[in-house]
Amino acid sequence: MEYTFIIVLLPFLSFLFLGLAGKKLAPRVAGYVGTAVLAISAALSYLAAWQYFTTAKVGGVFKPWSMDFRWLNFTKDLHIDLGMLIDPIAVMMLVVITTVSLMVHLYSIGYMHGERGFQRYYAFLSLFTFSMLGLVVATNIFQMYIFWELVGVSSYLLIGFYYTKPEAVAASKKAFIVTRFADLGFLVGILLLSFYTGTFSFERLTSGDASLFNEAGGVTFMGCSVIGWALALIFIGGAGKSAMFPLHVWLPDAMEGPTPVSALIHAATMVVAGVYLVARLFPVYYLEAPDVLVLIAIVGAVTSLYAAVVACVQTDIKRVLAFSTISQIGFMMVGLGVSGLEGHEGLGYMASMFHLFTHAMFKALLFLGAGAIIHAVHSNEMGHMGGLRKYLPVTRFTFLIACLAIAGIPPFSGFFSKDEILAATFHFSPLLGAVMSFTAGLTAFYMFRLYYRIFWNKETRHDHAPHEAPRSMTIPLVFLAFVTLVAGPIPFGKFVTSDRAEYLIHLDWTVAGASVAIALVAIALATLLYRKESAIPDRLATSFKGLYTAAYKRFYLDELYLFVTKKIIFNGISRPIAWFDRHVVDGTMNGFATLSQRVSCAIRGFQSGQVQQYVMVILLGTLFITVLVLFI
């Protein structure tokens, strides 16, 4: 499968070409070049998936394929390699990334038409795609970290694409800084893990070889093993990239970038990098630190519930979808976290990866649909929409499919993946299962609140008649809607599992039936409140003003971060340190300089150049030394 290297290489070559020669090309030509390159990568990804899943199974287990070369040597046994690792989750991610990126490239030809920096935009898209592809096929954790940081740089460039807007610049810096703090934990975790195991290789770390961890067996800190600490720190890096609470604050602001960027980075690829990281190291978590898996499940559940509550009251359609993404990533983390339960370890892992796959398609569809809506009304606010169903029939139909999928209504794909997560969660803890079921109900509510306020409710007057998006934008919507319709019945457990062996899915209709019932009740409530103009939502907001305002303000976490950084860190710590540096450290050095200058001025007469003066000084010095020798 050596040709899979081309899948990763092509977007990089596209980035170089468009970055260096883009300004010499017509904008549309740059778009066509970037899209054509991604189409080739996507076709090769489908070929790789077909070849791998039909030929790589030996003895009922999919065997990984890898190629690498040595890059850096640290010790005789510890070194960093660069290469490619192809196994079920890597193949699945190749398909997801290239598919969504191709749809975004095609969609952007129409959406970004006429934008300044069109060629630069496509160069950045190619760089981001290359970074994500390099991340998922990394053979070792340090190679993953290199591409992990490159993903951060790419997202910074794309979020801040509109660099003349202060909001976009602030959002890009916020995303970069918050994820850098999390990545510090990731790096420390990598160093701890590699120091005690003597390897960076994913294949060796996940081989089940207990001898790798023998050296760390007796090393503990604060009652936890050093491997547990290493894996928890690595999860912090994943939590930052996947916007887990409380490191989620960068994602809603990242919506300042172009809407197709939101679909690519913040719906389908970048934000699932943390989930992919935990999944890649799942055997290590399961065997060496099952308590960390419990932590992951708790963090995922808190994040999912928090984001769903906040999404229920947002008015910017992209921010609703942003918090929806945070909530759904929380579902995936919960699926991985509850997989530590013996006897059911395969269910949560498989369900999490399945939901990653289905969510990528319908969330990209939602964001691209939002872009078509914004393209029609030139606003992100739901208050400026309403009654658009007759103007945007294709967008409305595809958007509805995505809403039904994320709400968990059969036979759409989200039903099959989300309900498997709920089943795994109930096996782990009925209480946690109830929390996640309630969160799933909130998901159905806020998504149909969004749907009705956009396409139904009271029609808003516009300066111009809204119109359907061009074909370059609607074709990706139809394609993603089709995938969302047909992906559910895929026997996903035959392809991607925790042990690479087949895991047969048996739908638990007790859980599924309850979940569908909850979703239908939530949709009915949203229909009652928002399908037609009603005063009930305003009365509810007034009756629960405190909760409504807190949720709208994201429970003031951004204000808390600003208070801690500006009032405590900057004013209480940084300013005194700066004063000490300027007045004490610099003052001391300046004092030495002033003293040296004055002394030099006082004694510079000794360097007059007059021989008579020098002879007199030598004579007096000789007499002084003679007196000292004779009389002391």
Short mmCIF file of all heavy atoms in Angstrom, two decimals, residues 69 124 155 158 315 328 389 394 440 463 510:
data_model
loop_
_atom_site.label_atom_id
_atom_site.label_comp_id
_atom_site.label_asym_id
_atom_site.label_seq_id
_atom_site.Cartn_x
_atom_site.Cartn_y
_atom_site.Cartn_z
N PHE A 69 11.12 5.40 8.25
CA PHE A 69 12.58 5.49 8.23
C PHE A 69 13.02 6.28 9.46
O PHE A 69 12.28 7.09 10.00
CB PHE A 69 13.08 6.16 6.95
CG PHE A 69 12.67 7.60 6.80
CD1 PHE A 69 13.46 8.63 7.29
CD2 PHE A 69 11.48 7.93 6.16
CE1 PHE A 69 13.08 9.94 7.15
CE2 PHE A 69 11.09 9.26 6.02
CZ PHE A 69 11.90 10.27 6.51
N PHE A 124 -4.11 27.58 2.15
CA PHE A 124 -4.27 27.23 3.57
C PHE A 124 -5.12 25.97 3.74
O PHE A 124 -4.86 25.14 4.62
CB PHE A 124 -4.90 28.40 4.32
CG PHE A 124 -4.00 29.59 4.48
CD1 PHE A 124 -4.51 30.83 4.87
CD2 PHE A 124 -2.64 29.50 4.22
CE1 PHE A 124 -3.69 31.93 5.01
CE2 PHE A 124 -1.81 30.60 4.36
CZ PHE A 124 -2.34 31.83 4.75
N SER A 155 -4.95 25.95 11.42
CA SER A 155 -6.24 26.48 11.89
C SER A 155 -6.11 27.95 12.25
O SER A 155 -7.04 28.74 12.01
CB SER A 155 -6.71 25.69 13.11
OG SER A 155 -5.81 25.84 14.20
N LEU A 158 -6.40 29.84 9.01
CA LEU A 158 -7.73 29.81 8.41
C LEU A 158 -8.74 30.60 9.24
O LEU A 158 -9.59 31.30 8.69
CB LEU A 158 -8.19 28.36 8.24
CG LEU A 158 -7.53 27.61 7.08
CD1 LEU A 158 -7.80 26.12 7.18
CD2 LEU A 158 -8.01 28.15 5.75
N THR A 315 -28.30 32.51 19.39
CA THR A 315 -29.06 33.07 18.27
C THR A 315 -28.25 33.12 16.98
O THR A 315 -28.83 33.29 15.91
CB THR A 315 -29.55 34.48 18.60
OG1 THR A 315 -28.42 35.31 18.93
CG2 THR A 315 -30.51 34.46 19.79
N GLN A 328 -21.26 16.92 20.68
CA GLN A 328 -21.11 15.63 20.01
C GLN A 328 -19.72 15.02 20.20
O GLN A 328 -19.59 13.80 20.32
CB GLN A 328 -21.41 15.79 18.51
CG GLN A 328 -22.84 16.20 18.20
CD GLN A 328 -23.87 15.25 18.79
OE1 GLN A 328 -23.86 14.06 18.51
NE2 GLN A 328 -24.74 15.78 19.63
N ARG A 389 -37.95 28.53 3.69
CA ARG A 389 -38.13 27.23 3.06
C ARG A 389 -38.51 27.34 1.58
O ARG A 389 -38.14 26.48 0.78
CB ARG A 389 -39.19 26.43 3.83
CG ARG A 389 -40.57 27.03 3.82
CD ARG A 389 -41.50 26.28 4.78
NE ARG A 389 -42.87 26.79 4.73
CZ ARG A 389 -43.28 27.87 5.39
NH1 ARG A 389 -42.41 28.56 6.14
NH2 ARG A 389 -44.53 28.26 5.30
N VAL A 394 -33.43 23.25 -1.73
CA VAL A 394 -32.38 22.23 -1.61
C VAL A 394 -31.70 22.33 -0.25
O VAL A 394 -31.50 21.32 0.43
CB VAL A 394 -31.35 22.39 -2.74
CG1 VAL A 394 -30.20 21.40 -2.57
CG2 VAL A 394 -32.00 22.21 -4.10
N ALA A 440 -28.96 14.00 24.72
CA ALA A 440 -29.42 13.68 23.37
C ALA A 440 -30.77 14.34 23.09
O ALA A 440 -31.03 14.82 21.98
CB ALA A 440 -29.51 12.17 23.19
N ASP A 463 -33.85 43.04 2.11
CA ASP A 463 -33.63 44.07 1.09
C ASP A 463 -33.65 43.47 -0.31
O ASP A 463 -33.88 44.17 -1.30
CB ASP A 463 -32.28 44.77 1.33
CG ASP A 463 -32.26 45.53 2.65
OD1 ASP A 463 -33.35 45.92 3.10
OD2 ASP A 463 -31.17 45.71 3.21
N THR A 510 -34.30 -1.43 23.84
CA THR A 510 -34.74 -0.78 25.08
C THR A 510 -34.15 0.62 25.16
O THR A 510 -34.86 1.61 25.44
CB THR A 510 -34.30 -1.60 26.30
OG1 THR A 510 -34.82 -2.92 26.19
CG2 THR A 510 -34.78 -0.95 27.59
#
